[in-house]
Amino acid sequence: MENIKSYLSKAVRQVISELYGSEAVPQSIDWQLTRKEFEGDLTLVVFPYTRYSKKSPEATGAEIGEKLLSEVISDFNVVKGFLNLKIADTQLLQDFNSLFSADSLVEKLEQPVGVMVEYSSPNTNKPLHLGHVRNCLLGWAVGNIQQAVGNRVTRVQIINDRGIHICKSMLAWQRFGNGETPESTGMKGDHLVGKYYVIFDQAYRKEIAELKDQGLSEEQAKDEAPLMVAAREMLKQWENGDAEVFQLWEMMNEWVYAGFNETYQRMGVSFDKNYYESDTYKLGKSLVDVGISKDIFQRDSDGSVWIDLTDIGLDRKLLLRRDGTSVYMTQDMGTAVQRFEDYDIDRLIYTVGNEQDYHFQVLFAILKKMGYQWADGLFHLSYGMVDLPSGKMKSREGNVVDADDLITAMELGAQEMTESLGKADGMEPTERTDLYRQIGLGALKYFILKVDPKKRMTFNPEESIDLQGNTGPFIQYTYARIQSLLRKAGEIKSLEISSEILHEERELIKQILRYSEVVHHAARENSPALIANYTFDLVKMYNGYYQNHSILRNDDASVTAWRLRLSSLVARIIRDALALLGIESPNKM
RNA sequence: GGUCCCGUAGCUCAGCUGGAUAGAGCAACUGACUUCUAAUCAGUAGGUCACAGGUUCGAAUCCUGUCGGGAUCACCA
């Protein structure tokens, strides 16, 4: 479709210039798809030209349309100020055929760039939850989409493996753990460590309550509770390289990593490189000196260092504490610089929730002020929180949806549904479990990815298991049915292909030809939702077609051959699009 | 209080850089399985695009304000 549009844009410029003179020629011409209720495929809005033509919109449209008739444009009509053009069947078929035999369904960028995508970025004191799931799925899909348009993609996570939160788990394990391990308990490592984080919190709160009874203020109690004092002490020991603490830290982190990796694997996401905060937390301090020497940062009389961003509508922000230690912002500055040194990249996408919008606004502003050329290539892929029907997820209230539990529940839901429909009756046991996995995850991923990332979303476990309507399994099902057709067709493929096309087939071809531009659009916007919505539309169209026109049972072999060809390209696009979303396409379901 | 994001059908969401009578799915109601997989399809019903102004040939979309929801503004991470 893109080639038709660019041909037409050129033609329209030419025509406008001929008719109304060169100053009437617009910079760019935006085409829109003709609405269903009108005849035509592409529509040019002619209102902008009436001031040059000095004629009515209808007359203007008609005289432009007249001159556009060609092998590409077979017909036109004008309704009010809208010039509707009909693309010639031969042109559509030609484009269809060239896409059919193309290596890639998506056109590659002429000038690809290097893109690093950061996602997940967990803390190591508790297991992954629903929020991480949205994060991972988004980051993974965005990476796929960037890759699809031809960019080089590096996927990374930064693991927050140090700090007071880890020490809390460590301390609780030391005090109350009785030497429990993932092996001895059979628990996943991340869940085991998370358990001790909860234990710490409970014991800590008890201490706070006791201290408050003794007359201390809330703040004092929180600060002076023996457990908190001990945790802070442990953090200090860790920073001083205390062997015993370090060993405990390493051991428990290893448990967590094993657990995370299992979850990542089930989700189907992976990373090219892990950054660890324990390696990077000291980065950025040297940048502070540079900034001071350039007079971008200021040192206060107490020794703390600040940047003043009030000139661009932001605040004054701390970069170095009075005692010379760095803050999150400083680390992130250092890490960004490091990444552009480590890799040949032009862009860096941070997949992080929208509660950190301000943080990234400031981070990017600072790096820009410091004069880094690449600062314009930084992008915060900000996404909204995931709520439950009962409201907000709060770890305090224990209504956090655990990622592992969620995946299991989705697989079970898929299994129940599949069994009750008898869809897997003839399958081998391993084939079945694989199918349940594919469907369950397909439902989960699609449910989350179909929503615009920046929107806050409600996750309803029951609805997400739904397999009807705008869902992953609905799309997978269409793919499976086409595969079944292609299997059955086997030998009856005729070399002769009918060239008559039905209205529904025209509509399908047009949708198919849009795929590449949709992927490019999704890449520009970093929005997998665009691909999800496109695919749903394609599938809806195809299902209507499938239901109303017999593909195999047909008197004319050449018609069957054409319909199979059309179906198989639809299937390839479904599979390609779902793969971009990280969703598998089962051959049977 | 400052800044940012969101507000579209009962529910969950589309609506591209402004374009024609605002679209899907779910739920509700009608129909279609001796026929390529009915996890499907065809149809009915459902709207003051939060509200009020403004910009213009034309606004759900852009601007301003109001209301509602959320986030953020720590020498926490």
Side-chain angles (χ1 to χ4, degrees):
Chain A
M1 211 64 139
E2 200 67 349
N3 62 327
I4 297 176
K5 281 188 194 167
S6 66
Y7 160 85
L8 274 178
S9 295
K10 232 171 108 184
V12 166
R13 278 208 184 84
Q14 177 89 34
V15 168
I16 300 280
S17 173
E18 274 172 32
L19 287 172
Y20 317 126
S22 54
E23 80 270 17
V25 176
Q27 296 250 313
S28 69
I29 294 164
D30 55 318
W31 293 99
Q32 40 189 302
L33 304 178
T34 304
R35 298 184 63 122
K36 277 193 192 71
E37 53 271 38
F38 300 98
E39 188 76 21
D41 303 309
L42 287 171
T43 294
L44 179 73
V45 180
V46 300
F47 292 111
Y49 310 112
T50 51
R51 50 187 284 233
Y52 299 103
S53 71
K54 305 203 168 63
K55 291 177 185 163
S56 71
E58 288 84 351
T60 309
E63 68 183 2
I64 296 172
E66 195 62 47
K67 287 193 170 252
L68 288 174
L69 290 175
S70 60
E71 295 101 65
V72 179
I73 298 304
S74 61
D75 200 4
F76 74 93
N77 64 79
V78 182
V79 180
K80 293 196 267 179
F82 300 89
L83 170 59
N84 303 318
L85 302 169
K86 187 175 179 205
I87 302 168
D89 286 0
T90 50
Q91 181 65 40
L92 283 177
L93 277 170
Q94 188 184 315
D95 287 357
F96 173 88
N97 285 328
S98 62
L99 184 66
F100 189 89
S101 42
D103 298 331
S104 168
L105 297 170
V106 178
E107 248 173 87
K108 303 296 178 205
L109 289 171
E110 279 171 32
Q111 292 175 317
V113 294
V115 182
M116 178 177 281
V117 189
E118 177 197 290
Y119 52 95
S120 190
S121 302
N123 289 352
T124 58
N125 60 324
K126 49 189 168 194
L128 303 176
H129 58 71
L130 182 51
H132 293 108
V133 173
R134 189 177 196 189
N135 187 310
C136 286
L137 298 182
L138 271 172
W140 178 255
V142 163
N144 292 340
I145 292 164
Q146 291 299 336
Q147 226 156 17
V149 297
N151 290 328
R152 304 182 307 276
V153 171
T154 312
R155 299 156 199 273
V156 305
Q157 62 176 332
I158 182 152
I159 301 175
N160 294 307
D161 61 345
R162 51 137 255 136
I164 192 74
H165 49 294
I166 319 299
C167 290
K168 290 178 182 175
S169 292
M170 286 158 61
L171 188 69
W173 184 84
Q174 216 175 35
R175 298 259 172 109
F176 317 111
N178 298 317
E180 273 190 6
T181 66
E183 290 74 29
S184 76
T185 56
M187 262 177 109
K188 251 177 111 240
D190 50 339
H191 288 264
L192 183 66
V193 172
K195 174 180 145 185
Y196 283 98
Y197 187 74
V198 172
I199 289 175
F200 176 94
D201 201 55
Q202 287 164 350
Y204 175 44
R205 269 192 278 171
K206 216 161 115 192
E207 286 185 353
I208 294 172
E210 281 165 12
L211 289 175
K212 272 165 74 180
D213 285 346
Q214 291 168 25
L216 276 91
S217 72
E218 169 104 25
E219 219 167 295
Q220 262 180 316
K222 278 184 173 169
D223 196 53
E224 291 172 21
L227 273 170
M228 187 47 104
V229 172
R232 275 200 300 264
E233 176 57 25
M234 191 178 247
L235 180 59
K236 223 172 265 171
Q237 288 175 321
W238 181 88
E239 281 171 359
N240 293 332
D242 180 281
E244 198 185 323
V245 169
F246 199 81
Q247 217 175 3
L248 176 62
W249 173 77
E250 272 196 315
M251 179 180 76
M252 290 181 75
N253 270 340
E254 284 309 318
W255 294 348
V256 172
Y257 298 148
F260 282 173
N261 286 339
E262 202 179 312
T263 309
Y264 287 147
Q265 203 171 359
R266 290 182 79 189
M267 273 197 275
V269 306
S270 61
F271 304 89
D272 300 309
K273 157 120 182 135
N274 294 335
Y275 285 90
Y276 295 90
E277 207 202 330
S278 55
D279 294 329
T280 61
Y281 81 108
K282 287 181 177 160
L283 290 176
K285 280 200 199 183
S286 58
L287 295 177
V288 173
D289 297 331
V290 176
I292 291 175
S293 71
K294 285 189 180 170
D295 210 27
I296 303 168
F297 308 154
Q298 292 82 37
R299 194 182 291 277
D300 252 23
S301 52
D302 66 357
S304 57
V305 177
W306 299 75
I307 183 166
D308 189 347
L309 294 168
T310 47
D311 55 327
I312 51 171
L314 303 173
D315 293 317
R316 237 164 76 91
K317 191 85 194 168
L318 180 86
L319 296 176
L320 227 49
R321 296 191 187 99
R322 195 170 22 180
D323 62 5
T325 55
S326 59
V327 291
Y328 219 49
M329 189 63 73
T330 325
Q331 288 176 41
D332 276 357
M333 288 158 52
T335 312
V337 171
Q338 166 116 48
R339 287 175 176 178
F340 278 89
E341 282 169 6
D342 286 353
Y343 289 90
D344 177 20
I345 51 172
D346 307 280
R347 278 157 55 191
L348 172 51
I349 299 172
Y350 293 91
T351 313
V352 179
N354 63 7
E355 69 269 18
Q356 294 201 38
D357 283 355
Y358 184 72
H359 174 81
F360 282 102
Q361 223 182 321
V362 171
L363 176 67
F364 297 168
I366 292 175
L367 291 166
K368 213 171 200 169
K369 278 208 168 190
M370 292 188 73
Y372 291 107
Q373 292 295 310
W374 41 259
D376 287 323
L378 298 169
F379 181 75
H380 176 203
L381 174 52
S382 163
Y383 62 90
M385 311 230 97
V386 186
D387 291 321
L388 298 174
S390 55
K392 230 173 136 168
M393 276 206 301
K394 285 225 163 112
S395 43
R396 276 276 158 90
E397 289 156 29
N399 68 342
V400 172
V401 177
D402 176 74
D404 296 312
D405 292 348
L406 176 60
I407 296 170
T408 303
M410 297 300 294
E411 289 173 351
L412 272 174
Q415 174 169 1
E416 272 168 34
M417 188 57 76
T418 307
E419 280 172 353
S420 75
L421 291 172
K423 293 280 185 180
D425 286 353
M427 292 186 186
E428 299 293 318
T430 53
E431 202 181 346
R432 283 183 191 206
T433 50
D434 203 41
L435 180 63
Y436 304 151
R437 186 186 59 75
Q438 291 183 342
I439 296 174
L441 273 133
L444 175 62
K445 292 180 178 185
Y446 188 87
F447 189 88
I448 288 176
L449 289 175
K450 74 176 175 188
V451 181
D452 181 353
K454 65 172 182 281
K455 284 195 175 169
R456 191 186 185 97
M457 69 177 290
T458 307
F459 183 85
N460 186 327
E462 272 130 54
E463 271 178 34
S464 66
I465 285 176
D466 211 330
L467 313 174
Q468 287 162 8
N470 192 357
T471 66
F474 171 87
I475 294 168
Q476 290 173 316
Y477 178 67
T478 301
Y479 177 82
R481 283 207 301 199
I482 297 176
Q483 293 313 300
S484 170
L485 280 181
L486 296 174
R487 279 193 300 272
K488 292 219 164 91
E491 307 305 313
I492 45 174
K493 280 178 195 157
S494 138
L495 288 177
E496 217 181 307
I497 286 176
S498 166
S499 58
E500 266 175 62
I501 38 179
L502 300 168
H503 175 71
E504 288 107 311
E505 293 169 339
R506 263 188 76 90
E507 295 302 309
L508 268 171
I509 293 172
K510 285 193 289 177
Q511 180 75 356
I512 285 169
L513 294 177
R514 283 185 54 220
Y515 180 58
S516 183
E517 8 174 337
V518 169
V519 177
H520 279 267
H521 187 197
R524 276 195 308 278
E525 304 279 324
N526 287 305
S527 175
L530 296 175
I531 291 176
N533 289 317
Y534 162 86
T535 311
F536 177 61
D537 287 339
L538 173 69
V539 162
K540 243 188 323 177
M541 281 176 165
Y542 182 82
N543 283 345
Y545 173 64
Y546 175 95
Q547 200 80 19
N548 293 313
H549 300 282
S550 188
I551 289 163
L552 295 178
R553 298 181 179 275
N554 207 297
D555 295 338
D556 188 340
S558 70
V559 169
T560 294
W562 153 242
R563 292 181 180 180
L564 281 171
R565 194 174 164 84
L566 180 62
S567 300
S568 84
L569 189 49
V570 169
R572 272 168 59 203
I573 288 181
I574 294 173
R575 189 167 63 179
D576 200 76
L578 287 183
L580 293 180
L581 304 179
I583 299 172
E584 295 174 66
S585 300
N587 288 316
K588 294 179 196 168
M589 68 183 274

